Amino acid sequence: MDDRQWCGGPGARGMAGHEPDLSTAENYRRFAAAVAERSPEYGALAEAVADDEEILGLLATLPGDKRQPNLLFAAARYLLGAPPDPATLRGLVRERAGELTAVVLARRTQTNEAGRCATLLPALAQLRGPLALLEVGASAGLNLLPDRYSYDYAGHHVTGTDPEAPVLRCRPRGPVPLPDGAPTVVWRAGIDTAPLDAARQDHANWLECLLWPGEAGRRERLRAALRTAARHRPVIHRGDLLEDLGRIAADAPAGATLVVYHSAVLAYVSESVRRDFAAAVREVGAVWLSNEAPGVIGPVETVDGPDDSFVLVRNGSEALASTDPHGAWVRWYR
């Protein structure tokens, strides 16, 4: 892998709403444009924040990585019991700023969208089995269960090993190598700085707060995936993606293909950490699948999709597909 081929560079877009080179207001406008079609309510809310000096003033008191729209809106929803709108968010800032700040500082953006498994499955199915899966930024472990779910790719059905698990629906575009069956997984583990427990109601409630209004089916899918994870209990280690990767990977069984993967994780760390992580993955000898915003990993020029699309990259340089960040579609390149 040539490190010059990844980790930003000219044309890199990065994660909407979390681009260090932009001001807070610009980040909210960028987020608004990216999500306007998917969640008109949050698109309008982000535009309102970008023009609201009072809310921007509160955000200015927070560390840079705590100013992102996803986190602010989820924290507000956590306190309000419903998705915020401009008026209710402004009221929180004026009347309950301390509570709102405390939630933002205590929580993380840990969106655990099981639908992403539908965009990862074709890449996993191309690998020699059996598989040993190691997910970085695993949250509650919902993406550690790709073999448990069933799938519907516009009529092409893949049956998973758990008949009670949800059916994930994904529109294939281009020459997607759709498998006939789920991969054989003999070992799985996750790493997260603050693991969530699928069986704990307070953890499940936080994951629901991270959902966006206007996206039909996500709450039902999340709840079904949480029930699946509660049944199968994937092991998630509290740890650091650099310090603990090698130690945890060493437990993978010999004879299995080790796959290290992540979705919307490396956008939240520095470029130097991304490069060190790439070296750590090489050190453990794993296949590396990255599903991130354009420019975080992989050649930006290959991206083909809306502003909030992800790009699925194998081993740091081979761009396989553009993907919907919540798994609704996958566009294969070749």
Side-chain angles (χ1 to χ4, degrees), residues 28 44-59 72-73 75-77 79-80 82-98 100:
Y28 275 77
L45 180 59
E47 283 283 5
V49 170
D51 293 326
D52 192 303
E53 293 301 325
E54 193 169 3
I55 300 176
L56 291 174
L58 174 67
L59 290 169
L72 175 66
F73 297 167
R77 182 172 182 171
L79 293 173
L80 292 167
D85 58 31
T88 56
L89 180 58
R90 194 173 296 114
L92 270 180
V93 170
R94 289 176 177 172
E95 300 166 14
R96 302 170 65 185
L100 182 60

Side-chain angles (χ1 to χ4, degrees), residues 243-299:
E243 296 176 4
D244 299 295
L245 181 70
R247 174 181 61 82
I248 296 169
D251 290 335
T257 297
L258 176 61
V259 187
V260 172
Y261 63 104
H262 49 88
S263 292
V265 171
L266 293 195
Y268 296 105
V269 301
S270 68
E271 184 171 321
S272 64
V273 171
R274 298 175 205 170
R275 293 186 182 277
D276 290 344
F277 178 75
V281 176
R282 286 196 299 268
E283 183 70 22
V284 301
V287 176
W288 177 20
L289 295 178
S290 167
N291 190 40
E292 298 279 351
V296 175
I297 300 289

Side-chain angles (χ1 to χ4, degrees), residues 17 21 26 71 114 132 137 175 197 203 209 212 230 279 331:
D21 293 338
E26 289 170 328
L71 184 56
D197 185 342
H203 289 187
C209 286
W212 300 349
R331 184 190 301 275

Side-chain angles (χ1 to χ4, degrees), residues 8 54 65 69 74 82 109 120 175 178 197 222 234 236 238 256 259 299 326:
E54 193 169 3
D65 63 344
T109 301
L120 291 168
L178 296 175
D197 185 342
L222 172 63
I236 307 172
R238 184 181 299 273
V259 187
H326 300 149

Side-chain angles (χ1 to χ4, degrees), residues 57 70 124 127 234 255 303 328:
N70 275 336
L124 293 173
L127 303 176
V303 176

Side-chain angles (χ1 to χ4, degrees), residues 65 68 70-72 107-111 206 210 264 268:
D65 63 344
Q68 56 190 276
N70 275 336
L71 184 56
L72 175 66
R107 298 286 185 170
R108 295 172 174 82
T109 301
Q110 292 178 286
T111 303
W206 175 245
L210 288 161
Y268 296 105

Side-chain angles (χ1 to χ4, degrees), residues 10-64:
R13 293 207 302 258
M15 180 71 73
H18 188 69
E19 298 180 75
D21 293 338
L22 300 182
S23 70
T24 302
E26 289 170 328
N27 264 306
Y28 275 77
R29 290 194 178 92
R30 165 94 164 83
F31 180 85
V35 309
E37 182 175 348
R38 186 186 301 275
S39 179
E41 296 93 332
Y42 273 5
L45 180 59
E47 283 283 5
V49 170
D51 293 326
D52 192 303
E53 293 301 325
E54 193 169 3
I55 300 176
L56 291 174
L58 174 67
L59 290 169
T61 68
L62 301 173

